[in-house]
Amino acid sequence: HDICELTGMHAKRQNITNHSFFNAGREDSVKPIHKRACHTGVQVLERMVRLDAANGLEGLGTQVVDYNVCNECCAGKAAAVPHKQRDKQKREILELVHTDVVGPVDPLALNGEKYTLTVLDDASGAVWTNSIEAKSAVPRNVKTIVEAAEKRTGRRVVFVRSDRAREYMCQELDMYYSSKGIEHQQTPPYSPESNGRAERLNRTIFEKARAILEELHTLSGITDYKKLWVEAIKTVVHVHNRTLTNSTYKSMRNKAPFELVTGNKPDLSHLRIFGCRVKVKKPDRYINGKLGTKVWDAVHVGYEGSVGTYRVYVPTLQRVIVSRDVTFIEKLYHPVPASEISHEEADVSASEG
């Protein structure tokens, strides 16, 4: 192929058999143009020649694409190798689970939590999550989730995939995995993409959590609404497990994770708008006399266990309570400041109920 050796203002044609843009000894060929063009990619320069997109490149030729490494490009443009999905093997439910920790989250949650642990089943897309105060609680919570998932499904976990964070590289978990015959797959250091499913899950969960927290703020007028982020995450995961997901395996995309794991079709009739105002019945011991009000004004913040049991935040108590006796006011879309809610219950001990 013919390329052009550029010298000053003129070009001297040469016939090059084994061409290379950055071949040793070819400093006067294409390499100066590459540098003058702010290290524009050689493929771009070749395409510009082919399309006659600019003047001054006429002698470069259109087929010269094999080139050695440009040191400056390596230093300035280095990028990680794309993490293509290499694990094409179809997994059974709980055969492989991904886990990750997100945090610290600001502000602290109602009960002091600042981290969230997530566990994702690779096959079904089912998610389990616990919020914790410190990373030292990760091993205990991983074991709790694994045991609960195995008991619920009747299957056993074979592989656990995580990053190399200290909370996962501990003797407690090593001994637990060994006792159960679980293989711990650890991703390479400084490459969160290798644990991509867990990373994408966390992003999705927190994006949805932010959205419903903003809705809670709009509907309730509560100013310190962000401290309810744990409740938001629990709600997002609850709904995630009961709706269709983009499973790794096409054969599993027509069923919700809940059905894939339990065999039962999910029931969504109990879902209510997160953050809507509610009236929740007080326990008898909190009713002041015969004429005392029998309900608290509260805010819906999630679901508890069986269908029909709800988690509600009572601003005057500054805590979340669980109840089945809840009346929803989903159509009230103007905020009602917490300051307007009766404070007759404010002296109730936060440790009760």
Side-chain angles (χ1 to χ4, degrees), residues 87-283:
D87 187 0
K88 298 294 185 181
Q89 178 183 352
K90 184 175 179 180
R91 301 287 185 179
E92 299 295 329
I93 291 174
L94 284 194
E95 182 179 353
L96 168 64
V97 298
H98 307 259
T99 180
D100 196 19
V101 177
V102 183
V105 180
D106 184 32
L108 293 179
L110 278 177
N111 296 320
E113 301 97 329
K114 58 180 178 179
Y115 298 94
T116 288
L117 166 71
T118 56
V119 176
L120 167 69
D121 175 41
D122 187 77
S124 67
V127 177
W128 295 265
T129 183
N130 276 341
S131 294
I132 54 181
E133 296 182 22
K135 289 187 176 181
S136 59
V138 167
R140 181 179 71 253
N141 281 268
V142 167
K143 292 189 291 184
T144 298
I145 290 175
V146 168
E147 295 294 333
E150 290 184 337
K151 182 177 180 180
R152 184 69 182 270
T153 62
R155 300 170 182 263
R156 58 180 295 268
V157 174
V158 181
F159 304 101
V160 173
R161 185 174 297 169
S162 73
D163 58 26
R164 293 175 178 264
R166 184 176 303 175
E167 56 269 22
Y168 288 115
M169 306 285 289
C170 64
Q171 186 178 12
E172 182 179 353
L173 278 180
D174 288 343
M175 293 177 62
Y176 175 71
Y177 293 150
S178 178
S179 68
K180 293 183 65 67
I182 296 174
E183 180 182 327
H184 185 196
Q185 299 180 345
Q186 302 153 3
T187 60
Y190 309 109
S191 59
E193 301 89 348
S194 297
N195 200 22
R197 290 209 67 192
E199 297 288 340
R200 288 192 297 273
L201 170 70
N202 292 336
R203 183 182 66 186
T204 299
I205 288 175
F206 273 82
E207 285 176 348
K208 291 182 177 180
R210 282 193 292 268
I212 63 176
L213 282 172
E214 290 301 324
E215 185 161 42
L216 180 148
H217 179 52
T218 299
L219 297 178
S220 68
I222 295 175
T223 56
D224 52 351
Y225 63 99
K226 290 184 179 180
K227 67 183 179 182
L228 295 168
W229 63 265
V230 168
E231 302 299 329
I233 287 174
K234 289 180 180 178
T235 302
V236 168
V237 170
H238 179 90
V239 175
H240 167 91
N241 285 334
R242 288 160 176 79
T243 51
L244 298 182
T245 63
N246 188 22
S247 172
T248 304
Y249 313 110
K250 292 182 179 179
S251 60
M252 295 188 177
R253 293 179 183 175
N254 293 329
K255 292 184 179 180
F258 181 86
E259 183 174 358
L260 292 171
V261 168
T262 67
N264 301 317
K265 185 176 294 186
D267 181 2
L268 304 183
S269 62
H270 65 293
L271 297 186
R272 298 292 184 271
I273 297 174
F274 184 90
C276 71
R277 294 185 65 216
V278 301
K279 301 286 186 178
V280 57
K281 185 180 180 302
K282 296 179 184 178

Side-chain angles (χ1 to χ4, degrees), residues 4-17:
C4 199
E5 180 175 306
L6 300 179
T7 306
M9 298 297 294
H10 66 279
K12 180 174 64 177
R13 294 193 71 77
Q14 289 189 0
N15 203 352
I16 305 297
T17 302

